[in-house]
Amino acid sequence: MSITIRPLEAGDRAAWEPLFQGYLTFYESSLPGDVIDETWARLMSDDPQFHVGLCAVDAQTGELVGIAHVLFHSSTWSKTHYCYLEDLFVSPDVRAKGIGRQLIDAVYAEADARECTRTYWATQEFNYRARGLYDQVATKSPFLQYRR
């Protein structure tokens, strides 16, 4: 399977949404339609300090098979920016083919182009398949996440 990684484009909405819904379903979550609409609008924004959407495309069929949503932000710990990989999802029928790694590599390239000094993300502890990949491409942080 030959994969191309590229930025999401306005015409990708119909193919992107099922992947984003699959991501939400995996994490046993759901979002109202207006939040999904706002997420898409943010991904389509030209603001370089906001969200960037990437997609993995099957080069043979043109089908979107994976997505990555990235947020760039400044930090109180650095003069540079950080890169937060907020969402990463690969269609279940094409997993374990290196597509997740290609998406992460593309995220790293985006972060490097913006001279980010940190790229980071979170996942649930039980997400063992993804964690197997993450252990190969990054260092696990000792921090726990707290929420309100």
Side-chain angles (χ1 to χ4, degrees):
M1 175 176 237
S2 179
I3 296 295
T4 301
I5 307 295
R6 64 166 174 78
L8 282 168
E9 300 169 351
D12 292 329
R13 171 74 190 253
W16 164 84
E17 193 163 339
L19 292 169
F20 189 49
Q21 290 288 358
Y23 176 77
L24 295 171
T25 299
F26 176 81
Y27 281 111
E28 300 175 356
S29 295
S30 63
L31 293 173
D34 63 327
V35 174
I36 292 171
D37 291 343
E38 182 63 25
T39 297
W40 180 254
R42 289 174 179 168
L43 292 168
M44 292 296 104
S45 169
D46 288 332
D47 184 348
Q49 302 303 313
F50 214 39
H51 288 83
V52 170
L54 300 172
C55 61
V57 181
D58 181 328
Q60 201 167 27
T61 67
E63 178 185 5
L64 268 64
V65 295
I67 54 173
H69 303 153
V70 182
L71 178 64
F72 297 95
H73 64 89
S74 56
S75 168
T76 60
W77 288 45
S78 173
K79 292 180 181 180
T80 65
H81 284 83
Y82 286 175
C83 173
Y84 175 53
L85 172 54
E86 191 165 12
D87 309 314
L88 177 70
F89 183 77
V90 173
S91 182
D93 57 331
V94 294
R95 288 191 183 148
K97 297 183 184 312
I99 298 168
R101 180 184 289 266
Q102 287 180 268
L103 282 163
I104 290 172
D105 287 344
V107 169
Y108 283 164
E110 289 285 331
D112 291 347
R114 290 169 173 78
E115 298 180 348
C116 294
T117 55
R118 178 177 293 171
T119 300
Y120 67 103
W121 60 89
T123 193
Q124 289 182 324
E125 187 173 348
F126 65 78
N127 192 357
Y128 299 112
R129 176 178 255 178
R131 286 180 58 197
L133 168 61
Y134 301 160
D135 288 344
Q136 294 174 36
V137 299
T139 303
K140 185 178 150 201
S141 164
F143 286 90
L144 301 173
Q145 183 183 60
Y146 290 85
R147 294 182 179 179
R148 176 183 152 196

